[in-house]
Amino acid sequence: MQYAMYYEEQQQISQDEYGKMKQQILLREGERKFESYTLRKLKFTGNDADETVAHYYLCVKDQSEQQIYLEKKYMQNHIWHRACAKVTKESCGQILRGEIDWMKNSKGALFRDFYLQATLNHLSPGRVIEYQREMLKCKDGYVMFNKKINCIVGGWGNLFWPEAMSIHCLDEDKVLVVYKKKVNLPNTIWEMMQGNTLLNEEKALVF
């Protein structure tokens, strides 16, 4: 499977600092524009103790049935590794209900990997976090402004419910800035780490 590999830094700033920083970035990046969207992420529990152990998520962008992804993410040597595979809403429902036998022999490497880890580590759906973000792709990475971060009340059953109750997780009048800097590796090392096969549904997406 293919991974996006990057360093990550984050910091909380005030609303005033956010406005100034956003303008500075736009001036520096020229015609590039920020993309605004809402992202809900459901984290599977069972391996929360160590960031070096892979974590798995179901991600829904803008409550769209066409933008549902299974995500794998882990840190190694201070570098984040992230892989994504697109899933249908029907398949998403199966995963949430624990009906994952179809993943065992899937053509998608990430699906096979999730099946193995879910079976060995008894992964189960955990909490859902909603992010209201602005993201800009820069020359060497990504800048994200998390304007709101909310914990969705009611668990995974509310992953697709727009009116779900939520609890604020971000300090009042603060914005969480996340900067992801791409890791540049020599082509030979990159190919060895990524593998030779890349299926259409597996992409090194960033959101």
Side-chain angles (χ1 to χ4, degrees):
M1 76 186 73
Q2 187 181 36
Y3 290 93
M5 300 168 60
Y6 55 89
Y7 298 104
E8 180 176 308
E9 295 181 7
Q10 51 182 267
Q11 176 186 10
Q12 282 196 36
I13 61 174
S14 68
Q15 290 286 344
D16 288 342
E17 290 173 318
Y18 151 70
K20 294 175 182 177
M21 183 180 293
K22 183 177 178 179
Q23 289 303 314
Q24 291 173 352
I25 293 171
L26 288 172
L27 287 172
R28 186 188 67 191
E29 295 298 326
E31 297 182 355
R32 290 190 175 99
K33 295 182 179 180
F34 278 89
E35 175 192 5
S36 298
Y37 60 93
T38 298
L39 182 70
R40 286 191 181 180
K41 296 186 66 170
L42 178 149
K43 183 175 183 178
F44 288 89
T45 60
N47 55 0
D48 296 338
D50 189 350
E51 291 292 356
T52 62
V53 175
H55 298 273
Y56 297 85
Y57 305 83
L58 277 173
C59 307
V60 182
K61 189 175 180 181
D62 285 333
Q63 294 291 283
S64 171
E65 295 183 13
Q66 284 70 50
Q67 299 194 77
I68 307 172
Y69 304 91
L70 177 66
E71 176 189 55
K72 175 183 179 181
K73 186 177 179 181
Y74 67 95
M75 181 189 286
Q76 188 175 56
N77 297 324
H78 305 290
I79 297 175
W80 282 102
H81 297 66
R82 183 178 179 276
C84 274
K86 194 170 185 179
V87 298
T88 64
K89 189 171 183 180
E90 179 182 3
S91 296
C92 178
Q94 290 178 315
I95 295 170
L96 291 171
R97 294 191 298 270
E99 302 168 3
I100 60 173
D101 285 347
W102 61 273
M103 305 175 86
K104 184 177 182 180
N105 298 312
S106 171
K107 293 181 180 179
L110 181 54
F111 293 143
R112 297 194 304 272
D113 179 77
F114 177 82
Y115 173 84
L116 178 63
Q117 295 303 320
T119 303
L120 292 175
N121 298 316
H122 307 288
L123 301 183
S124 60
R127 64 179 183 176
V128 178
I129 303 295
E130 181 180 85
Y131 303 84
Q132 292 187 18
R133 285 181 173 169
E134 293 179 333
M135 181 180 75
L136 180 70
K137 183 178 181 180
C138 303
K139 297 175 183 178
D140 59 349
Y142 295 82
V143 176
M144 297 178 181
F145 291 114
N146 292 280
K147 301 173 71 176
K148 290 184 179 179
I149 303 177
N150 297 325
C151 182
I152 302 299
V153 177
W156 65 266
N158 288 333
L159 183 61
F160 291 97
W161 187 29
E163 304 302 322
M165 294 180 60
S166 61
I167 300 172
H168 297 300
C169 301
L170 194 61
D171 292 343
E172 188 175 356
D173 296 324
K174 294 291 186 179
V175 174
L176 180 65
V177 184
V178 179
Y179 178 61
K180 298 183 177 183
K181 183 177 180 180
K182 292 182 290 186
V183 176
N184 295 315
L185 297 173
N187 289 338
T188 52
I189 297 178
W190 179 264
E191 290 171 3
M192 290 172 60
M193 295 184 69
Q194 297 288 356
N196 295 322
T197 302
L198 173 61
L199 299 178
N200 289 333
E201 73 273 19
E202 295 182 347
K203 300 179 181 178
L205 301 173
V206 176
F207 48 67

